[in-house]
């Protein structure tokens, strides 16, 4: 039987700019904005021939492309080829790599309110070719369009939680869906029974960052947060801290944890608010990959 040998091999990863060096015959042009920074994270993609005819050391033509955040920042040239890449490339590579091992299982995003589950979930669903569902939106639709805040006001939290459990039950019967759950979905064991039919991912965002996000847009749509005058940030932070005390251990039951603090440290960012949703989605795929390797034995990943 004749084996098929790939003509090229490609890898993509994050490195720091100070690890990229110039050599004679190669150029490393960057924008003036990036020149002003001595060290910054870049996304590097390299493509080179995969000729297995000889294992002796040899020179090959190689192209390496870099980008900083979503803007192509630099290109290392070899020959006449140039190919700038950005975050979307790594997202595509990661999603294509793990999708076959998901076997159609749903992905449930859990985490505190304001952690970005809906935004990141939509990016993940598009990258994986999945559908996207937001639990709160489905509950509102079943309640004739009444908002979550109004449901809490008219019927109480217990009524809402019952509806939430029913929505998760229905979603557990589906395949190929990325689900954004409510912040309190993790408090009921029955909800975990449904979510564990898929893969659960915890978006772990520092509480101070959450308080800043939420207080910036107001707490009117958040029925569990104070909706009153005064220092909104401090009151929001205190309430979030109380909620996290109740839910933290439950979030930790997720199959994968996406820590924004860890991402920021890896990319040299001081503020997690500087992280793009795409970067967070990439980390989610990386942590799902870790779960698939360590817990399910897919070491070939």
């Amino acid at each position: 039987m004749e084996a098929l040998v790939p003509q090229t091999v490609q890898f993509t990863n994050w490195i720091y700019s100070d690890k990229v060096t110039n050599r004679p015959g190669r150029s490393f042009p960057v924008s003036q904005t990036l020149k002003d920074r001595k060290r910054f994270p870049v996304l590097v993609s390299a493509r080179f021939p995969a000729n297995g005819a000889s294992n002796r050391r040899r020179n090959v033509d190689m192209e390496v492309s870099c980008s900083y955040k979503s803007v192509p920042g630099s290109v290392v040239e070899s020959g006449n080829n140039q190919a700038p890449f950005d975050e979307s490339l790594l997202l595509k590579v990661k999603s294509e790599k793990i999708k076959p091992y998901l076997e159609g299982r749903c992905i449930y995003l859990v985490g505190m309110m304001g952690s970005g589950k809906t935004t990141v979930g939509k990016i993940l669903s598009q990258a994986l070719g999945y559908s996207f569902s937001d639990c709160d939106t489905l509950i509102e639709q079943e309640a004739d369009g009444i908002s979550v805040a109004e449901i809490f006001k008219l019927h109480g939290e217990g009524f809402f939680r019952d509806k939430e459990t029913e929505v998760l039950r229905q979603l557990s019967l589906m395949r190929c869906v990325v689900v954004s759950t409510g912040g309190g979905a993790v408090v009921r064991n029955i909800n975990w029974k449904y979510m564990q039919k898929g893969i659960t991912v915890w978006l772990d965002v520092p509480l101070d960052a959450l308080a800043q996000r939420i207080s910036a847009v107001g707490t009117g749509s958040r029925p569990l947060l104070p909706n009153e005058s005064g220092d909104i940030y401090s009151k929001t932070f205190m309430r979030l801290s109380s909620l996290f005390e109740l839910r933290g251990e439950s979030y930790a039951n997720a199959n994968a944890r996406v820590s924004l603090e860890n991402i920021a440290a890896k990319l040299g960012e001081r503020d997690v608010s500087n992280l793009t949703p795409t970067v967070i989605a990439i980390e989610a795929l990386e942590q799902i990959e870790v779960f698939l390797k360590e817990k399910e034995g897919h070491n070939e990943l």
Side-chain angles (χ1 to χ4, degrees):
M1 180 181 294
E2 183 178 354
L4 297 176
V5 179
Q7 298 301 307
T8 63
V9 173
Q10 178 173 324
F11 73 88
T12 308
N13 208 345
W14 291 100
I15 67 171
Y16 285 107
S17 58
D18 57 0
K19 301 298 182 183
V20 181
T21 58
N22 289 331
R23 292 189 178 183
R26 293 162 176 80
S27 62
F28 186 34
V30 298
S31 68
Q32 185 59 47
T33 301
L34 298 185
K35 285 181 180 179
D36 294 337
R37 299 184 59 147
K38 294 182 179 179
R39 189 172 189 258
F40 50 88
V42 291
L43 176 62
V44 175
S45 179
R47 187 190 300 270
F48 52 90
N51 187 343
S54 172
N55 60 7
R56 293 184 302 175
R57 184 175 298 178
R58 58 194 176 87
N59 294 325
V60 296
D61 287 333
M62 176 178 176
E63 61 184 47
V64 179
S65 304
C66 310
S67 70
Y68 171 66
K69 295 187 176 179
S70 297
V71 182
S74 57
V75 177
V76 179
E77 300 172 343
S78 176
N80 296 320
N81 295 321
Q82 295 187 20
F85 291 94
D86 59 19
E87 295 166 356
S88 61
L89 173 68
L90 186 53
L91 180 68
K92 181 176 184 292
V93 171
K94 289 289 184 183
S95 60
E96 290 179 350
K97 183 179 181 182
I98 72 167
K99 184 176 180 179
Y101 300 92
L102 295 176
E103 299 175 338
R105 284 175 289 182
C106 295
I107 295 175
Y108 295 87
L109 300 181
V110 302
M112 292 286 286
M113 63 182 81
S115 59
K117 299 184 294 289
T118 297
T119 301
V120 174
K122 289 179 179 179
I123 293 173
L124 285 173
S125 66
Q126 185 175 8
L128 292 168
Y130 273 30
S131 300
F132 173 78
S133 289
D134 183 292
C135 282
D136 286 354
T137 299
L138 293 177
I139 294 170
E140 290 174 342
Q141 290 173 354
E142 289 195 3
D144 297 324
I146 300 175
S147 70
V148 169
E150 285 296 311
I151 293 174
F152 268 73
K153 183 177 180 180
L154 295 174
H155 304 289
E157 183 177 356
F159 177 88
F160 173 83
R161 296 299 174 199
D162 290 341
K163 293 293 184 182
E164 183 175 56
T165 296
E166 175 59 21
V167 164
L168 288 171
R169 185 193 70 80
Q170 295 173 7
L171 289 169
S172 72
L173 303 175
M174 303 175 67
R175 292 170 58 82
C176 300
V177 182
V178 176
V179 180
S180 171
T181 68
V186 297
V187 300
R188 285 191 173 184
N189 291 332
I190 186 64
N191 293 346
W192 281 105
K193 177 183 176 181
Y194 296 137
M195 293 190 292
Q196 284 171 351
K197 293 183 179 181
I199 296 175
T200 51
V201 180
W202 172 23
L203 298 188
D204 185 8
V205 183
L207 294 180
D208 59 339
L210 289 177
Q212 289 174 1
R213 290 182 187 178
I214 295 172
S215 59
V217 298
T219 59
S221 63
R222 310 283 185 178
L224 294 180
L225 294 182
N227 185 20
E228 54 193 48
S229 60
D231 187 349
I232 298 178
Y233 169 81
S234 296
K235 293 179 180 179
T236 299
F237 180 82
M238 291 178 63
R239 180 56 177 154
L240 290 174
S241 298
S242 298
L243 289 172
F244 188 77
E245 285 290 325
L246 298 173
R247 302 172 179 176
E249 291 185 3
S250 297
Y251 291 136
N253 290 326
N255 299 129
R257 172 176 173 253
V258 176
S259 167
L260 268 65
E261 287 184 331
N262 289 346
I263 303 173
K266 183 166 60 175
L267 298 182
E269 292 285 359
R270 295 183 178 180
D271 188 348
V272 298
S273 63
N274 292 332
L275 300 176
T276 67
T278 300
V279 165
I280 298 170
I282 291 169
E283 180 70 11
L285 292 173
E286 290 182 347
Q287 294 306 317
I288 291 173
E289 181 180 344
V290 170
F291 165 74
L292 292 172
K293 286 181 179 179
E294 295 183 353
K295 304 299 182 181
E296 298 193 348
H298 292 296
N299 296 320
E300 67 276 17
L301 274 167

